[in-house]
Amino acid sequence: MRKEQLEEVDPMQGRFGIRDTSLARYLDGQHWQLKNELRQQTAQSQLFSQHRYDLSLDEMRDLSSERVKFVIKLPTVQQQLEEQIEKKKNCINKSLAIGEVLSTADLTTGVKMGVVCWLFGGAIINLGSQEHIEKWFQPLKEFIIHTPCEDAEKMYIGNAMKGNYAAVFAQLIVSGKLLGPHCFIVPVRDDAGNVHPGVTVIDMMHKEGLNGVDNGILVFDNVRIPKENLLDKFGSVSENGVYESPIEDRGARFNVMLAALTPTRIALIFQALGAMKLGLTIAIRYSHSRRQFGPKDKEEVKIIEHQTQYLRLMPHLAASLALTFTSRYAGEILDEDMYRGRNLANNRSLQALVAGLKAYSTWENLACLQDCRECTGGMGYMMENRIPGLKCDSDVFVTFEGDNVVMLQVVVRELLAQYARQYEEKPVIGLLRNWTGATADTLRTSILAFSTETVGSLSFLLKALNYRERVLQRSLAARLYSKVTIKKEEPFGAWNSCLHHVTYLALAHIHRVTLEQFWKAVEQCPVPEDKALLKKFCLLHGTNLLYQERAWYLEHKYLTPTTSVQIRSQLTELCRSAKEDALTVLTAFNIPATTVHAPIAGIPNPRATWAYYPHPRLDHPGAAKATVLARAKL
Amino acid sequence: MRKEQLEEVDPMQGRFGIRDTSLARYLDGQHWQLKNELRQQTAQSQLFSQHRYDLSLDEMRDLSSERVKFVIKLPTVQQQLEEQIEKKKNCINKSLAIGEVLSTADLTTGVKMGVVCWLFGGAIINLGSQEHIEKWFQPLKEFIIHTPCEDAEKMYIGNAMKGNYAAVFAQLIVSGKLLGPHCFIVPVRDDAGNVHPGVTVIDMMHKEGLNGVDNGILVFDNVRIPKENLLDKFGSVSENGVYESPIEDRGARFNVMLAALTPTRIALIFQALGAMKLGLTIAIRYSHSRRQFGPKDKEEVKIIEHQTQYLRLMPHLAASLALTFTSRYAGEILDEDMYRGRNLANNRSLQALVAGLKAYSTWENLACLQDCRECTGGMGYMMENRIPGLKCDSDVFVTFEGDNVVMLQVVVRELLAQYARQYEEKPVIGLLRNWTGATADTLRTSILAFSTETVGSLSFLLKALNYRERVLQRSLAARLYSKVTIKKEEPFGAWNSCLHHVTYLALAHIHRVTLEQFWKAVEQCPVPEDKALLKKFCLLHGTNLLYQERAWYLEHKYLTPTTSVQIRSQLTELCRSAKEDALTVLTAFNIPATTVHAPIAGIPNPRATWAYYPHPRLDHPGAAKATVLARAKL
């Protein structure tokens, strides 16, 4: 522990520690200027100048409201919201970039902005007509919104304790006929904050984290709303009470409505990424500063030198880079679709990609933050050092906006549909029969031959990931075919008995996509130095993904015992080497010093001067092993 | 969600839900009556009647103090503390049992009791003489306690903000000679709570959890303490200033001091176990009550029926049973050693066992609680449902009282010492040379032959775990020998480059011990029905341990690809089958209803009536899929 509180946070960095380097620009992508602007704006705001965890529920909610109001008023954000309404090109990408930056400043602010702009705003933009955006609240004819039983109560509604309007998905009934879920704007409170008659709001109170988000339950007792409040892009009711929809099938209509959740999920991926980058910044800086153990009679070594430390942290840093490029790729597809006014429901592969990325990124974020917490020991357990708060706040990401296990099933339904399409002109049933009967795998043999060199190559890694995905896909199709078509098992039961297989296929798919996108980003990187650095982390990411699943590769004889052991050595060696480049990557994350807050990351913090560790430097004045002394006074 | 708030919490259970069954007694062990008594006492106390998470730091600390005072005054606990001072037989086991029960009631109370009774009390009992217990505070000659620099500040001292005395490990210097760390009792505050001159106390404030524990930093500026305050069992200073110790070697003396930490670590294992049992009780009850998805046009199924759900929860339930018996086994050895007045430092295998169990149990606890959190979805994110609080409170267990990664190194040092002893009469160096040169493994071939049946047998599983431990041990010894002796690498660097291997060996050792102890407990179970149930979970635990490490077994050709796939099927089938017995196990955990608190576990809770789910029953009235209705009013 060092108490030299430097005035200048880091002499190598610019204002608030934001630097303009080629790597930082490449990691931030097209909208790097927007991100830096927003970083500066939040970094210099008093509202974000402290990490607050010591407030009552009400105070926390009030502070969060203030923060959201501040952010919404920023010219950068205002302009973005306008562009979003005008559906300008790139507005999705900008919005996602904003989400990531806000999440590093405060996850609650990021999530609340998500609720306001994506969930509520997104429903209107995607499900409503252009007029809805301005005038959906002028009454004409009516709908009655009603919660028939407790099972139908909607829980976890963000902004429930303060919001004026709610976007409610309700089963539409016209003349007694069920027409499937549709989205309605329901006034919940008047401008003075009084709850409207027929609406009951239940406060869900304290959660593990995100306590600035006021979650609640809404119950509707025959609440009348004007007819215009039905978001009618995919289903409307005429003046004389006739239901009309461009989509005949009720199931297909429901899928269209669900597709409206895609932007929210993708926003979540960026928020998780923001949390990860911040956690890694804190844990790795500390690991490069704190010293413990070492050769006898010599200075103790930096804890990043401990093999277990770099083996735990470096794969997460590599994954955060993979997610940087993969989430941007998904964002670009969404941006293009929305800009072109395409029906999101038709882009099923985008939905699958986003669902899978949501699951992978939020789980990876939690695993990363847990390792960051443990790798910073007792210091990482202090609220002042940020990591516990990040963990608690982002813990809910794995189950909200679609539980991750459900998300993985969304991915696999699409993969199986693709599989069926791929063989639709071929005798698919015969193919499946052949597959179940076959003991040899024709895919495997074609790529079994490799030398030591190829294990370390990106193309080997990518081929291996591709192979696993295809085999898991084919074998799942075969299992389901056998259960449902041959053994006549009930479909839900058959699917359920393959759930483990389903989740592994979905993750295999996403793993492959992340490596592919990371690889592309390496290829396209214009600065040789940055490219070399990214390539190392890309190799590390791929090696780690393969290492995690080496049992499967051994079972399928894709790896031999010897190559499997090679993969482990390669992983260790890459992590060992990557730890030296880690600080360069962190610098390129460009998180402002006043956003990091954590004293163990070298940010002077008057609330915990005792926890201050200076910024990592290449040479560090000798820190002798020290203990309390007890001298006998005789 | 059901709101029928039953008056009778569960008609099948006794007062506070505590039942006296053969299985409950067997799981609680010898001291089941003591545990039930304490469960009742905490369950009926107003101090524990609510799960409090909505308090300020000061309020939380005050409540925790009240709770500890209440617990210490309980006749059961009073008697136990007296027995501990008298070093009566079984007092350790009783104390550990008390720790587990208190931890389910409130982890902070469990930890604070641990600090008071184990850390402080333990130091005096293990390092002091009999007289110290009554009169260490009467001044005679003096020591000066001094913190020379910031690196020597001791952080994370429990009770730092309220305690009157601290047990401080300080480097003893007599006549300028360094004599190694010794333990001193240092008065920190007077009875009125004023900090003594020369003592600086820094409040560490908010943590991720355990906020009722007042952690702080103590700094000593030449504080004079009476000579009697040196706990002098292993080192004393005579009237004329001569240092005397029954242990010549300074390093050996330090090991003796460190051994005093063994009881604290074992207490932590029981606390983690308490948290795990509570988390599992909540998550599994909810999974047996909540319904989601299901066959078309039929009632939704209980979520425990989802394959992913039982695959995630059942291995943890099995591990909690394995830890129940293994922690008791360690407790019994410690009890016997302390009763016989043996020097704990001599029982190095106990120290290794406790260090390893501490690491395994606290990591397993965190993984378990995280799965419990995710398996209960948004409900599990609510503080009222207990799981988030348990997670945050017990998160620190993995890094305190010895960081887990360090603990695993303690295990391996002992395993390597054993290995060296085993061959001490043989030419050990030659043996190691042979080993490094050998490509074939003679251990393996002897047990390679097995049929399908044996994969499912306990003896196969145990043999496999044994095999892995021995191979990892031998290969580590060989690697270190090669690095240090042949290649003359610097020892710290050599050890560090094997750290990954070290951690895996330590865990392999502990895994084997948990399966062995679980197996013994199955064998000794007197009631056939209980025995059959435990056997299933024991098989599940062993299968899971093997499954987790199947890559290693495939690499070492101990498993063939076919048997590896069999292990997976076996795991799935055991988990599927175990979910039906899970409620029986939970009932035998005997956690009082008023300790569980969580409404999703069927405990009526006026603060969150909306979260109430009734106790799982065998048949459940049809719950139709329900949504909010929107009827067009024309």
Side-chain angles (χ1 to χ4, degrees), chain A residues 336-606:
Chain A
E336 184 68 19
D337 274 10
M338 301 219 6
Y339 176 64
R340 303 262 173 227
R342 290 183 193 133
N343 180 349
L344 289 184
N346 292 340
N347 197 339
R348 287 181 51 168
S349 66
L350 172 67
Q351 286 184 59
L353 172 66
V354 170
L357 262 185
K358 186 268 179 186
Y360 172 66
S361 64
T362 56
W363 267 328
E364 169 55 27
N365 165 62
L366 270 196
C368 168
L369 291 176
Q370 186 61 35
D371 274 324
C372 290
R373 187 343 246 147
E374 297 185 21
C375 286
T376 50
M379 280 295 191
Y381 193 63
M382 306 304 307
M383 287 305 284
E384 206 60 66
N385 283 320
R386 293 293 304 268
I387 299 171
L390 287 173
K391 237 162 51 95
C392 292
D393 284 348
S394 63
D395 188 19
V396 77
F397 289 4
V398 299
T399 54
F400 92 169
E401 302 306 341
D403 183 280
N404 278 2
V405 174
V406 176
M407 289 299 90
L408 298 181
Q409 296 178 58
V410 170
V411 176
V412 169
R413 282 202 198 94
E414 169 60 17
L415 292 180
L416 291 183
Q418 281 176 7
Y419 186 77
R421 277 199 296 276
Q422 188 183 341
Y423 292 104
E424 66 190 355
E425 281 158 34
K426 296 174 192 174
V428 51
I429 289 166
L431 183 125
L432 287 175
R433 271 207 201 104
N434 281 341
W435 170 258
T436 39
T439 48
D441 176 16
T442 51
L443 281 172
R444 183 175 62 230
T445 44
S446 60
I447 40 174
L448 237 190
F450 51 81
S451 67
T452 311
E453 282 75 23
T454 55
V455 179
S457 78
L458 265 173
S459 67
F460 166 77
L461 295 170
L462 200 54
K463 262 187 200 161
L465 263 51
N466 243 312
Y467 168 74
R468 181 154 181 265
E469 181 185 352
R470 278 178 297 154
V471 172
L472 282 171
Q473 186 185 32
R474 283 170 53 158
S475 57
L476 179 66
R479 279 182 75 192
L480 287 171
Y481 173 79
S482 156
K483 282 170 184 277
V484 177
T485 310
I486 299 176
K487 295 186 197 152
K488 308 288 178 203
E489 287 181 24
E490 183 277 315
F492 173 79
W495 178 262
N496 189 42
S497 68
C498 296
L499 262 193
H500 184 259
H501 193 153
V502 165
T503 56
Y504 275 76
L505 167 56
L507 287 171
H509 170 72
I510 291 300
H511 289 170
R512 192 258 302 162
V513 175
T514 62
L515 188 62
E516 232 167 47
Q517 292 305 318
F518 198 167
W519 191 0
K520 272 190 196 159
V522 171
E523 294 285 311
Q524 289 162 9
C525 184
V527 180
E529 199 182 317
D530 298 343
K531 186 175 184 161
L533 181 96
L534 288 176
K535 191 179 174 190
K536 186 189 285 183
F537 280 95
C538 185
L539 260 171
L540 169 48
H541 180 60
T543 306
N544 186 47
L545 291 176
L546 195 64
Y547 175 73
Q548 298 300 327
E549 296 302 337
R550 69 198 185 286
W552 187 92
Y553 288 100
L554 285 158
E555 279 172 4
H556 290 73
K557 295 182 181 155
Y558 192 91
L559 288 182
T560 63
T562 313
T563 46
S564 177
V565 171
Q566 267 179 349
I567 296 284
R568 184 170 58 230
S569 311
Q570 181 171 310
L571 179 65
T572 309
E573 184 46 35
L574 283 167
C575 289
R576 200 191 59 73
S577 159
K579 73 183 194 296
E580 305 304 329
D581 304 298
L583 293 176
T584 310
V585 176
L586 298 185
T587 304
F589 283 168
N590 249 346
I591 304 176
T594 50
T595 296
V596 175
H597 294 302
I600 55 168
I603 314 298
N605 183 327

Side-chain angles (χ1 to χ4, degrees), chain B residues 7 86 196 232 281 283 322 337 377 407 421 428 437 617:
Chain B
E7 263 309 292
E86 292 163 26
H196 285 304
D232 60 1
T281 299
D337 274 10
M407 289 299 92
R421 276 198 297 277
V428 52
R617 286 176 235 143

Side-chain angles (χ1 to χ4, degrees), chain B residues 16 48 58-59 152 185 196 200 204 222 265 288 310 314 338 345 374 380 383 387 417 447 466-467 480 534 584 615 628:
Chain B
F16 303 112
F48 291 92
D58 284 340
E59 290 166 336
I185 302 301
H196 285 304
T200 305
M204 291 179 76
N222 293 297
R265 282 181 191 147
H288 266 280
Y310 60 73
M314 290 305 116
M338 304 233 342
E374 296 184 22
M383 287 305 283
I387 299 170
I447 40 171
N466 243 312
Y467 168 75
L480 288 171
L534 289 176
T584 311
H615 260 261
V628 176

Side-chain angles (χ1 to χ4, degrees), chain A residues 1-3 53-54 142-153 155-156 168-175 184 202-204 206-210 217 220 222 224 237 241 293-295 301 305-308 311-312 363 366 370 373-374 377-379 381-384 388 391-393 395-396 398-399 403 405-406 490 492 496-500 503 547 550-551 554-555 557 561 564-565 568 610 623-624 626-634, chain B residues 1-3 53-54 142-153 155-156 168-175 184 202-204 206-210 217 220 222 224 237 241 293-296 301 305-308 311-312 363 366 370 373-374 377-379 381-384 388 391-393 395-396 398-399 403 405-406 490 492 496-500 503 547 550-551 554-555 557 561 564-565 568 610 623-624 626-634:
Chain A
M1 183 169 30
R2 295 263 164 283
K3 273 188 201 152
Y53 43 75
D54 48 352
E142 294 183 322
F143 288 105
I144 300 168
I145 301 291
H146 183 59
T147 309
C149 62
E150 287 154 13
D151 277 328
E153 285 170 5
M155 316 225 323
Y156 263 107
V168 176
F169 279 87
Q171 178 68 259
L172 177 61
I173 305 171
V174 181
S175 312
F184 301 83
I202 302 168
D203 192 339
M204 291 178 77
H206 292 82
K207 304 182 296 290
E208 181 180 346
L210 293 181
I217 300 168
F220 303 105
N222 293 296
R224 281 154 192 267
V237 179
F293 308 132
V301 302
E305 301 295 337
H306 298 174
Q307 191 185 58
T308 37
L311 281 178
R312 288 172 96 179
W363 267 328
L366 270 196
Q370 186 61 35
R373 187 343 246 147
E374 297 185 21
M379 280 295 191
Y381 193 63
M382 306 304 307
M383 287 305 284
E384 206 60 66
K391 237 162 51 95
C392 292
D393 284 348
D395 188 19
V396 77
V398 299
T399 54
D403 183 280
V405 174
V406 176
E490 183 277 315
F492 173 79
N496 189 42
S497 68
C498 296
L499 262 193
H500 184 259
T503 56
Y547 175 73
R550 69 198 185 286
L554 285 158
E555 279 172 4
K557 295 182 181 155
S564 177
V565 171
R568 184 170 58 230
W610 48 269
T627 56
V628 176
L629 300 177
R631 280 194 314 280
K633 170 96 177 173
L634 302 163
Chain B
M1 183 172 29
R2 293 266 162 281
K3 274 189 201 150
Y53 42 75
D54 48 351
E142 293 184 321
F143 287 104
I144 300 167
I145 301 292
H146 183 60
T147 309
C149 63
E150 287 154 14
D151 277 329
E153 284 171 4
M155 316 222 326
Y156 263 107
V168 176
F169 279 86
Q171 178 70 257
L172 178 60
I173 306 171
V174 180
S175 312
F184 300 83
I202 302 168
D203 193 339
M204 291 179 76
H206 292 83
K207 304 183 298 290
E208 180 180 347
L210 293 180
I217 301 168
F220 303 104
N222 293 297
R224 282 155 192 266
V237 179
F293 308 130
K296 211 180 169 186
V301 302
E305 301 296 336
H306 299 172
Q307 191 184 58
T308 37
L311 280 178
R312 289 171 96 179
W363 268 329
L366 270 196
Q370 187 61 36
R373 182 352 241 144
E374 296 184 22
M379 281 295 191
Y381 194 63
M382 307 304 306
M383 287 305 283
E384 206 59 67
K391 239 162 49 98
C392 293
D393 285 348
D395 189 19
V396 78
V398 300
T399 53
D403 183 281
V405 174
V406 176
E490 183 277 314
F492 173 80
N496 188 41
S497 68
C498 295
L499 262 193
H500 184 258
T503 58
Y547 174 73
R550 68 198 186 285
L554 284 158
E555 279 172 4
K557 296 183 182 155
S564 176
V565 171
R568 183 168 61 230
W610 48 269
T627 56
V628 176
L629 300 178
R631 279 196 313 280
K633 172 95 177 172
L634 302 163

Side-chain angles (χ1 to χ4, degrees), chain A residues 196-340:
Chain A
H196 285 303
V199 178
T200 306
V201 183
I202 302 168
D203 192 339
M204 291 178 77
M205 304 292 288
H206 292 82
K207 304 182 296 290
E208 181 180 346
L210 293 181
N211 277 307
V213 180
D214 46 327
N215 290 105
I217 300 168
L218 290 182
V219 186
F220 303 105
D221 182 10
N222 293 296
V223 174
R224 281 154 192 267
I225 57 163
K227 179 180 158 298
E228 305 306 314
N229 288 20
L230 165 64
L231 299 181
D232 60 1
K233 190 165 170 186
F234 299 112
S236 60
V237 179
S238 71
E239 294 292 319
N240 47 357
V242 178
Y243 178 77
E244 280 165 12
S245 170
I247 304 161
E248 278 286 304
D249 183 61
R250 215 172 85 188
R253 217 149 54 213
F254 184 51
N255 282 337
V256 171
M257 306 288 176
L258 284 184
L261 290 171
T262 305
T264 323
R265 283 183 190 143
I266 208 167
L268 207 58
I269 298 166
F270 279 78
Q271 286 162 9
L273 183 58
M276 244 180 116
K277 286 181 176 177
L278 180 53
L280 286 165
T281 299
I282 296 166
I284 295 174
R285 278 198 193 169
Y286 177 67
S287 302
H288 267 279
S289 168
R290 162 132 167 99
R291 288 167 180 264
Q292 199 181 23
F293 308 132
K296 213 178 168 186
D297 302 325
K298 284 201 179 158
E299 188 186 9
E300 292 185 302
V301 302
K302 292 189 285 182
I303 58 175
I304 193 69
E305 301 295 337
H306 298 174
Q307 191 185 58
T308 37
Q309 192 86 352
Y310 60 72
L311 281 178
R312 288 172 96 179
L313 293 173
M314 290 306 116
H316 293 305
L317 187 58
S320 75
L321 291 170
L323 280 169
T324 296
F325 300 113
T326 313
S327 58
R328 185 174 308 155
Y329 163 69
E332 277 159 10
I333 301 174
L334 178 66
D335 202 296
E336 184 68 19
D337 274 10
M338 301 219 6
Y339 176 64
R340 303 262 173 227

Side-chain angles (χ1 to χ4, degrees), chain B residues 427-495:
Chain B
V428 52
I429 288 166
L431 185 125
L432 286 175
R433 271 208 200 101
N434 281 340
W435 170 259
T436 39
T439 47
D441 175 17
T442 52
L443 280 172
R444 184 175 62 230
T445 45
S446 61
I447 40 171
L448 236 190
F450 49 81
S451 67
T452 312
E453 282 76 22
T454 54
V455 179
S457 78
L458 266 173
S459 66
F460 166 77
L461 295 169
L462 199 54
K463 263 187 199 160
L465 263 53
N466 243 312
Y467 168 75
R468 180 154 182 265
E469 182 185 350
R470 278 178 298 154
V471 172
L472 284 171
Q473 186 186 31
R474 285 172 53 159
S475 57
L476 179 65
R479 280 182 73 191
L480 288 171
Y481 173 80
S482 155
K483 282 169 184 276
V484 177
T485 311
I486 300 176
K487 296 184 198 152
K488 309 285 178 205
E489 288 181 23
E490 183 277 314
F492 173 80
W495 178 262

Side-chain angles (χ1 to χ4, degrees), chain B residues 409-427:
Chain B
Q409 297 178 58
V410 170
V411 176
V412 169
R413 281 202 198 95
E414 169 59 17
L415 291 179
L416 291 182
Q418 279 176 9
Y419 186 77
R421 276 198 297 277
Q422 189 185 340
Y423 293 102
E424 66 189 354
E425 282 157 33
K426 297 175 193 174

